[in-house]
Amino acid sequence: MLQNTGKLAGYTIFITGASRGIGKAIALKAARDGANVVIAAKTADPHPKLPGTIYTAAAEIEAAGGKALPCIVDVRDEKQINNAVGKAVEKFGGIDILVNNASAINLTGTLETPMKKVDLMLGINLRGTYLTSKLCIPHLLKSKNPHILNLSPPLNLNPIWFKNHTAYTMAKYGMSMCVLGMAEEFKGSIAVNALWPKTAIQTAAMDMLGGSGIDKQCRKVEIVADAAYAIFKQPTSFTGQFVIDEDILRKEGIRDFDVYAVEPGHPLLPDFFLDQQPEDLARQMKEHGATPAFKSGKTSTDSASTGPVSDMFNIIRGVLSPDIVKTTQGVYRFDLSGDHAGVWYIDLKNDAGSAGSGEPPVKADVIMTLDSSDFIKMFEGKLKPTMAFMSGKLKIKGDMGLAIKLEKMMAMMKSKL
């Protein structure tokens, strides 16, 4: 592993999303040099599923030898970022390094991605990176060796990286475009670079997307932290680079990469946006004992990309409209069993409505449990929800009134069949 040199002693590093994962690992690496770390993240209270808060991260940073300033920051909120920047300058005298690490991910296709998710990804990944950079740059310009580092991929324009999750790719590439533009704009004054891992990294997001067994194919967050540290050592003339973690560490003399592996010697999964295609990633995960939570770039809850249920949802999406959403105001989840088992949803409450496989984007008002064949019959108009419920073929949890309202949509679908 890359040894600390003390290079960052006294430096102030502003890191978004630093309460856990890669952001926290970079913070701890800098703290071992005696750096000041501003933890700009949303998690002030413990999350039911994810570890760490800004305060537990602060305690770890100070235990590692650094100084910490935990700040509650949603990078979509200009006022919160401004307040955090002001506190950082007041407490530490300035800002030397900005790490734009905060990110949101949703690997779904255009029709399956609710606008709420699109706005979230664009708001955090693209706008948040741009805004945080904009507010930190006046202070970075006063530093002796200022850096902006975005955790974003090289701009690989192979359509394969767009077709299955266009919204996520646009949002993530937006961070990379900030590197292109700002590196040229502030050339000679601020080093602006991107960093991306060569392999999958074990984080809460990867555990969610990769499913069981994925950890064996991952490297630890420490490899990204070491790569970031190697970048921070560079002069401001090192700018506009799209750095891959393993590549820069090899230049630093690192040869033993097994130390970064969760399970040394186990085959590793290449990360997105590099040369390997998503279909190959899913296949490779299966071959090495993981259960991929995505297939061909879609989330794992896309349980059946083909088949009668999928065909029915294509029709459902075709009849969605603002009027149906306005009159229905309900979010439905379908737990299907039988030949085409899986979880699907119809959101008739938000925006212009949406439908697809997996958990609904917001909490469901109604959960309907039934056989997939009966689901098809219901939407073909051959089985009414009320009759299915009375006969025991359908179990309903939640608002019965909304279950009845769904019949109106089913009636509209007859003309489409």
Side-chain angles (χ1 to χ4, degrees):
M1 301 182 86
L2 190 66
Q3 298 300 309
N4 280 66
T5 63
K7 174 80 175 181
L8 300 182
Y11 276 55
T12 297
I13 306 179
F14 192 105
I15 309 178
T16 65
S19 60
R20 61 176 67 94
I22 289 172
K24 189 178 79 170
I26 294 173
L28 290 172
K29 183 72 176 179
R32 295 185 190 103
D33 268 7
N36 310 314
V37 182
V38 183
I39 308 159
K42 291 194 302 180
T43 312
D45 300 313
H47 191 281
K49 295 183 179 179
L50 301 174
T53 67
I54 57 174
Y55 304 112
T56 59
E60 290 183 57
I61 287 164
E62 297 198 341
K67 294 180 181 177
L69 176 63
C71 296
I72 301 173
V73 173
D74 182 335
V75 294
R76 295 169 293 176
D77 189 319
E78 185 172 358
K79 184 177 179 180
Q80 288 185 13
I81 302 171
N82 251 325
N83 288 342
V85 169
K87 289 178 181 177
V89 173
E90 181 181 358
K91 184 176 179 67
F92 299 126
I95 298 173
D96 301 291
I97 297 170
L98 166 64
V99 179
N100 286 305
N101 168 70
S103 187
I105 182 171
N106 196 69
L107 299 178
T108 47
T110 301
L111 296 178
E112 293 82 19
T113 310
M115 285 311 299
K116 183 176 180 180
K117 293 284 188 181
V118 176
D119 292 341
L120 178 70
M121 288 188 285
L122 291 174
I124 293 176
N125 301 2
L126 171 53
R127 186 178 184 275
T129 293
Y130 184 93
L131 178 58
T132 306
S133 300
K134 176 181 173 68
L135 297 178
C136 286
I137 284 171
H139 304 286
L140 291 168
L141 288 170
K142 299 174 185 178
S143 173
K144 293 179 180 179
N145 190 39
H147 281 260
I148 295 176
L149 181 64
N150 295 352
L151 272 295
S152 64
L155 290 165
N156 184 347
L157 296 183
N158 184 338
I160 195 74
W161 297 115
F162 290 83
K163 75 169 188 176
N164 294 318
H165 40 73
T166 298
Y168 173 65
T169 299
M170 288 194 306
K172 206 65 187 172
Y173 278 16
M175 297 176 70
S176 301
M177 292 175 74
C178 285
V179 170
L180 277 181
M182 293 179 188
E184 193 65 23
E185 183 178 1
F186 298 101
K187 201 168 191 176
S189 300
I190 303 173
V192 186
N193 297 289
L195 174 60
W196 195 246
K198 184 173 182 177
T199 72
I201 303 297
Q202 187 186 27
T203 61
M206 181 52 67
D207 289 341
M208 176 184 69
L209 294 169
S212 61
I214 187 63
D215 56 326
K216 295 178 181 179
Q217 300 179 63
C218 294
R219 283 175 172 164
K220 303 172 187 175
V221 291
E222 283 75 16
I223 189 171
V224 185
D226 281 3
Y229 186 84
I231 293 171
F232 299 152
K233 294 195 301 177
Q234 305 298 321
T236 54
S237 58
F238 184 87
T239 191
Q241 303 295 311
F242 291 89
V243 180
I244 303 301
D245 58 357
E246 184 176 312
D247 294 346
I248 194 167
L249 290 177
R250 286 190 183 280
K251 291 179 181 178
E252 291 286 324
I254 301 297
R255 294 293 178 265
D256 179 12
F257 287 90
D258 266 356
V259 296
Y260 295 113
V262 172
E263 185 171 310
H266 198 286
L268 296 168
L269 184 68
D271 206 348
F272 280 7
F273 304 115
L274 302 179
D275 292 333
Q276 196 152 355
Q277 297 187 356
E279 287 85 353
D280 296 330
L281 301 187
R283 175 184 53 76
Q284 204 170 326
M285 290 167 73
K286 287 183 177 179
E287 287 176 356
H288 298 301
T291 304
F294 64 91
K295 290 184 180 179
S296 301
K298 295 183 180 181
T299 56
S300 63
T301 50
D302 283 337
S303 58
S305 57
T306 60
V309 175
S310 178
D311 292 343
M312 183 59 67
F313 268 85
N314 287 333
I315 298 171
I316 290 171
R317 283 189 286 268
V319 301
L320 294 180
S321 70
D323 287 340
I324 292 178
V325 172
K326 185 177 180 181
T327 57
T328 309
Q329 287 296 290
V331 178
Y332 302 82
R333 169 178 154 165
F334 302 90
D335 291 350
L336 305 184
S337 56
D339 292 339
H340 302 282
V343 176
W344 298 78
Y345 75 89
I346 303 176
D347 181 352
L348 299 179
K349 195 173 188 177
N350 300 287
D351 302 320
S354 62
S357 61
E359 295 285 345
V362 295
K363 184 178 179 181
D365 298 302
V366 183
I367 299 174
M368 307 179 85
T369 304
L370 69 164
D371 189 275
S372 56
S373 62
D374 289 327
F375 173 86
I376 299 296
K377 290 176 184 176
M378 281 202 326
F379 279 86
E380 287 177 339
K382 298 175 181 177
L383 178 65
K384 288 188 176 182
T386 48
M387 293 303 296
F389 177 73
M390 293 291 289
S391 65
K393 293 182 177 180
L394 169 65
K395 294 181 180 178
I396 299 175
K397 183 178 180 181
D399 191 329
M400 285 292 295
L402 287 175
I404 295 171
K405 277 188 176 183
L406 192 62
E407 290 188 20
K408 294 181 179 179
M409 176 189 227
M410 295 172 181
M412 291 186 64
M413 290 184 57
K414 288 184 178 180
S415 62
K416 297 280 185 177
L417 296 172

